[in-house]
Amino acid sequence: MIRGGMQDWPLRVHTILDHAANVHGRQEIVTRSVEGPIHRITYAEVSRRARQVTAALRRLGVQQGDRIATLAWNTWRHVEIWYGIAGAGAIYHTLNPRLTDEQIAYIMNDADDRMLFTDLTFVPQLERLRDSCIGKRQIIVLTDRAHMPQTGLDLLCYEDLIAGEDPETPWMEVAESAPVGLCYTSGTTGAPKGVLYTHRSNVLHSLTVQAAGVLGFNALTSVLPIVPMFHANAWSIAFSAPMAGAKLVMPGARMDGAGLCDLLDQEGVTFSAGVPTVWIEIINEMRRRGWKPDRLERVVIGGSACPEWMISTLEHEFGVEVMHAWGMTEMSPVGSAGIIKPEVAQLDEAGRLQLKLKQGMAIYGVEMRIADDEGRSLPQDGKASGRLMVRGPAVVGEYFKGAGGQVLDEQGWFDTGDLATIDELGYMQITDRTKDVIKSGGEWISSVELENIASGHPEVVEAAAIAIPDEKWAERPMVLAVLREGSQLQPEELRDYLRPRVARWWLPEQIRFVDALPHTATGKLDKKVLRQLYGGVMAQ
Ligand code: AMP
């Protein structure tokens, strides 16, 4: 057998920061610090500090494969510790502070985290967690001596911890298949399960995501990830931005519309990414101010379905291009994105908008198909809806510690738990979560489609559709909607709006207007809570 002649260069995540430091050393990471002021640092400096983190972790006895938790906002220090932990051969484990105390305790204990890096904001939460999960775990607060809090907890100060360490400490040379990151799934169904990323999966995923066809980063891009680093790897941005030499703008703890708009504007942000709920706030703020952040050109919206009004408002009212993307923690997380094909570029405005509502096409490194319950492939005709199956080098193969048992079928396909159609051009559209679909008289009603259509009404800000029990049909749809401020819309008027747009039997049995809808810790509609609140309402 003839051998290949190229070098075996392991795909380790710290090569990304090395590249940023060597080639884009002066590029900045700008943060609205948790302490308050705007903080500026370059990739070259962050690389030196990350190596100090590696050295400090070694001094504290951290071994290869140890899990190191982070409970932190998007800041330059959070970036440093990800790379510093990776450089020590350990595993960064992002905890989502929006989860309940019980969930955090469960996840920390399941992951068996060795220590925890945290922001000042979360110290009160940790005081509450002291007995259930902190125990002997060392807590390091991401701040300097002057800002260290008064507390009964035994805390280390981050800046003191790394101050004396060598900024040229070498990274540990682990195999590219070694684990480097751990993130638990949001657990909207069942107990949360850990997804354990490898160096290789993170590097390959970031390479494809930052490419021109997808996020399209370069050294002139200024990126503000609103999506937190504790949610699904921040959609790869802490890797893909330095890989491309893009400027990173980090919002820290200020995630409100006004704080984000200011930062987007002041730092010349050209690209941002986040879930639909944050864009509601930003759109409201931009409307109040009557302007958009000056250089903002493009945003990626995903994590849940992006409503039609949001795409058209951002594009037409504010001139910001929207790319709709889909993914999941199990996919590192990006799976598909609204890449524009020539056939789509030729469409008129209305046609393009309809395509943007779809979740886009598989990115490189993701194989995608839809299947029936027996695993047989369904036609890609934009009509047949089936289980969305995926395969690729950045797709989960098994959960942490084998939770949930075997997750791949014999051909290596992972069932995403989403139902979708794929059209002739390859555009995928989520029709539902397997568990959320409404089954009326044996026929399926897509809750997502009903939500999309209901939120297309100009007075509706957000809508949710759930199943309610019905004696005759087993289940019937109920729509809950949040209206624009001051709206006088009546439920009957919304039903009239839906009537010509959906099949007759899809018309919601009940429509209720509510002040707010519950969301999960990752910003998705919390159907579990909605079902608890309203699932007992009889349709008739
Ligand atoms: P998570 O792992 O928390 O990111 O959740 C992944 C799930 O979020 C997916 O399986 C989908 O059900 C949902 N999701 C993500 N992006 C979208 C999107 N653009 N449209 C509809 N659902 C989405």
Side-chain angles (χ1 to χ4, degrees):
M1 246 256 279
I2 189 163
R3 277 197 305 136
M6 308 313 279
Q7 298 182 11
D8 186 11
W9 192 79
L11 302 174
R12 300 189 188 111
V13 299
H14 28 276
T15 59
I16 298 172
L17 189 58
D18 289 344
H19 174 76
N22 294 337
V23 178
H24 304 282
R26 293 187 197 166
Q27 183 61 284
E28 283 182 312
I29 302 186
V30 181
T31 306
R32 188 197 297 282
S33 67
V34 177
E35 295 87 346
I38 297 290
H39 174 275
R40 292 175 185 278
I41 193 166
T42 63
Y43 281 132
E45 290 165 291
V46 162
S47 164
R48 290 169 68 80
R49 284 166 55 87
R51 287 169 187 272
Q52 290 178 299
V53 173
T54 291
L57 291 177
R58 279 197 195 132
R59 177 163 53 80
L60 293 175
V62 167
Q63 304 286 316
Q64 187 173 352
D66 281 350
R67 274 77 65 206
I68 312 289
T70 71
L71 187 66
W73 298 110
N74 288 6
T75 69
W76 84 99
R77 288 188 178 119
H78 202 173
V79 174
E80 285 165 9
I81 57 176
W82 270 24
Y83 284 97
I85 292 168
I91 299 169
Y92 64 84
H93 169 208
T94 48
L95 287 167
N96 184 341
R98 295 174 188 148
L99 295 175
T100 62
D101 288 355
E102 292 70 32
Q103 287 168 318
I104 293 182
Y106 172 88
I107 291 174
M108 275 193 88
N109 289 327
D110 190 63
D112 197 11
D113 293 317
R114 173 147 189 177
M115 58 179 75
L116 169 74
F117 285 87
T118 192
D119 274 324
L120 285 164
T121 328
F122 307 118
V123 172
Q125 204 165 348
L126 294 175
E127 284 166 350
R128 292 198 305 272
L129 286 165
R130 186 207 304 244
D131 295 335
S132 57
C133 68
I134 298 304
K136 292 203 166 51
R137 292 184 174 109
Q138 188 66 64
I139 302 173
I140 300 141
V141 185
L142 295 161
T143 192
D144 55 20
R145 172 115 322 259
H147 291 89
M148 282 300 282
Q150 295 292 328
T151 162
L153 291 167
D154 184 18
L155 304 175
L156 286 180
C157 165
Y158 175 72
E159 291 297 340
D160 285 357
L161 178 76
I162 66 169
E165 301 294 348
D166 180 1
E168 287 172 17
T169 303
W171 310 121
M172 186 187 281
E173 297 199 352
V174 296
E176 64 174 21
S177 58
V180 69
L182 179 63
C183 182
Y184 277 68
T185 55
S186 32
T188 40
T189 51
K193 294 192 276 293
V195 180
L196 194 53
Y197 307 112
T198 62
H199 280 268
R200 176 184 147 88
S201 70
N202 272 350
V203 172
L204 287 176
H205 178 258
S206 307
L207 267 173
T208 44
V209 170
Q210 58 97 36
V214 190
L215 301 188
F217 290 167
N218 61 45
L220 300 178
T221 320
S222 174
V223 185
L224 190 151
I226 302 175
V227 53
M229 291 170 73
F230 55 74
H231 180 200
N233 246 342
W235 302 357
S236 97
I237 291 173
F239 301 125
S240 47
M243 192 179 260
K247 173 176 169 181
L248 259 180
V249 182
M250 301 299 232
R254 284 271 324 257
M255 299 288 275
D256 58 294
L260 289 169
C261 261
D262 286 346
L263 203 56
L264 287 164
D265 192 52
Q266 286 154 13
E267 293 302 325
V269 171
T270 56
F271 174 95
S272 186
V275 295
T277 38
V278 306
W279 292 105
I280 296 179
E281 268 206 54
I282 293 178
I283 288 171
N284 285 342
E285 182 63 25
M286 294 195 298
R287 282 192 172 139
R288 256 194 295 278
R289 297 181 182 198
W291 53 258
K292 79 159 176 79
D294 190 36
R295 291 184 53 211
L296 188 62
E297 289 164 12
R298 267 180 337 112
V299 298
V300 167
I301 303 184
S304 29
C306 181
E308 185 174 340
W309 73 266
M310 190 171 280
I311 301 178
S312 59
T313 303
L314 283 166
E315 297 210 330
H316 300 136
E317 202 173 315
F318 296 105
V320 176
E321 194 189 325
V322 175
M323 182 185 258
H324 191 185
W326 163 88
M328 61 196 310
T329 308
E330 287 88 336
M331 299 181 71
S332 298
V334 184
S336 68
I339 296 153
I340 304 291
K341 283 193 167 186
E343 292 89 333
V344 176
Q346 286 164 12
L347 294 174
D348 62 9
E349 291 268 321
R352 259 209 309 276
L353 183 63
Q354 284 316 304
L355 259 158
K356 286 200 170 194
L357 277 177
K358 298 193 175 191
Q359 277 75 6
M361 41 214 314
I363 61 169
Y364 173 74
V366 174
E367 285 183 82
M368 197 181 260
R369 69 185 183 101
I370 45 172
D372 64 15
D373 288 344
E374 277 70 51
R376 288 182 299 247
S377 286
L378 291 170
Q380 306 202 348
D381 57 6
K383 294 188 192 84
S385 173
R387 292 168 178 273
L388 183 59
M389 314 288 286
V390 291
R391 206 159 67 167
V395 176
V396 72
E398 60 181 291
Y399 288 105
F400 184 56
K401 298 200 292 200
Q406 173 114 354
V407 294
L408 306 185
D409 70 9
E410 281 111 65
Q411 281 79 43
W413 292 95
F414 173 73
D415 186 338
T416 61
D418 286 330
L419 300 171
T421 59
I422 303 179
D423 67 19
E424 293 86 350
L425 291 175
Y427 289 90
M428 182 272 287
Q429 183 158 31
I430 299 285
T431 52
D432 226 322
R433 291 283 302 163
T434 323
K435 297 207 164 50
D436 293 342
V437 77
I438 303 164
K439 248 185 170 172
S440 177
E443 296 289 343
W444 287 14
I445 299 175
S446 159
S447 66
V448 172
E449 202 172 329
L450 209 48
E451 284 156 11
N452 284 346
I453 297 171
S455 59
H457 189 289
E459 302 279 306
V460 174
V461 175
E462 200 181 13
I466 57 163
I468 49 173
D470 181 272
E471 275 176 14
K472 183 164 176 202
W473 304 105
E475 288 180 357
R476 291 292 299 142
M478 172 189 224
V479 164
L480 298 139
V482 179
L483 300 182
R484 263 191 187 216
E485 251 169 50
S487 168
Q488 299 299 318
L489 192 73
Q490 295 303 308
E492 250 341 284
E493 294 171 289
L494 182 56
R495 188 170 282 112
D496 289 343
Y497 171 84
L498 295 174
R499 210 178 302 278
R501 293 175 168 82
V502 299
R504 199 165 46 85
W505 54 281
W506 279 41
L507 269 184
E509 216 54 57
Q510 301 222 3
I511 296 182
R512 292 199 188 174
F513 296 148
V514 291
D515 291 339
L517 288 166
H519 292 95
T520 66
T522 53
K524 295 179 208 315
L525 279 173
D526 197 335
K527 299 250 175 120
K528 213 156 61 175
V529 170
L530 284 174
R531 278 192 286 262
Q532 276 160 12
L533 289 174
Y534 301 99
V537 175
M538 285 303 277
Q540 284 157 6

